[in-house]
Structure formats: structure tokens, C-alpha cells
Amino acid sequence: QVQVVESGGGLVQPGGSLRLSCAASGTFVAIYTMGWYRQAPGKERELVAIISKTGFTNTADSVKGRFIISKDNTNNSVNLQMNSLKPEDTAVYYCYVDAFVAKSTYKQSRDDYWGQGTQVTVSS
């Protein structure tokens, strides 16, 4: 069973900081990318930042210079350091995992996995 668990969300004032963490567990053969998406009320889910197994990153223009993504291969985790938070950053943040998984003795496949989401609220 694959599990993706986020933590670190909460309420913060504008200009403040939060650090999100995500840990993935399961019968992984390989994890290709991990990262974060977010969905604000009434809006579509959008990419925030992703990081590949080689360390390559892709960050949305709206958060460049403020958010930093990093990973820890030791425990299959990814972090998102969010600085200079703005009210428009308010959203549910979802951890994303792109992984090749051994689902049974004879079946392996590459699929996308999602965490349950963690709420980030930026409000004065």
C-alpha cells in the first residue's frame, strides 16, 4: 500500500513562513519526481514546485524567489520552505509523487500518487 502523508500546514500572517513536509512510503522501485500542487477555493489545482530524482526543480513563477523545494532520498521525503507568504498563497497543498511501484509479485507500474492535502492559510 502506497501512502503519501503531508504535514506542516497551518495559519500564518502575511510575510511569515511555513515549512511543509511530505513522506512517501510503499513498495517503491523508484521515485522519479516529488513535489507540491495547490488548490485555492474556486480555482483549479496548480503546480507549485517539483523536484526530480536528479535534483532538477521546476517552480511556478508565482512563488519563485519565495518558495524552495528540497528532498531527502534517505526517507523518500520532500519539503517546501515557504517564505514571504501572501494571502493569495492560501490553498490546500497536495504532495505529489511520480513513482514506479511494485504492486504485486508480477505487476509493476509507474503511477501518480497524491497526499490528502494540508491547509495553508495566510491571513492577517
Side-chain angles (χ1 to χ4, degrees), residues 25-46:
S25 61
T27 55
F28 296 111
V29 177
I31 296 177
Y32 296 97
T33 64
M34 295 185 70
W36 298 90
Y37 287 70
R38 68 185 181 186
Q39 187 167 19
K43 295 187 176 182
E44 298 296 316
R45 187 174 299 187
E46 64 178 0

Side-chain angles (χ1 to χ4, degrees), residues 60-88:
D61 289 341
S62 60
V63 304
K64 283 183 177 177
R66 299 188 297 121
F67 292 8
I68 301 172
I69 190 169
S70 62
K71 64 184 177 73
D72 184 351
N73 292 332
T74 302
N75 54 14
N76 293 327
S77 65
V78 63
N79 302 311
L80 185 69
Q81 178 65 46
M82 304 185 294
N83 300 316
S84 301
L85 283 160
K86 304 175 180 179
E88 49 263 45

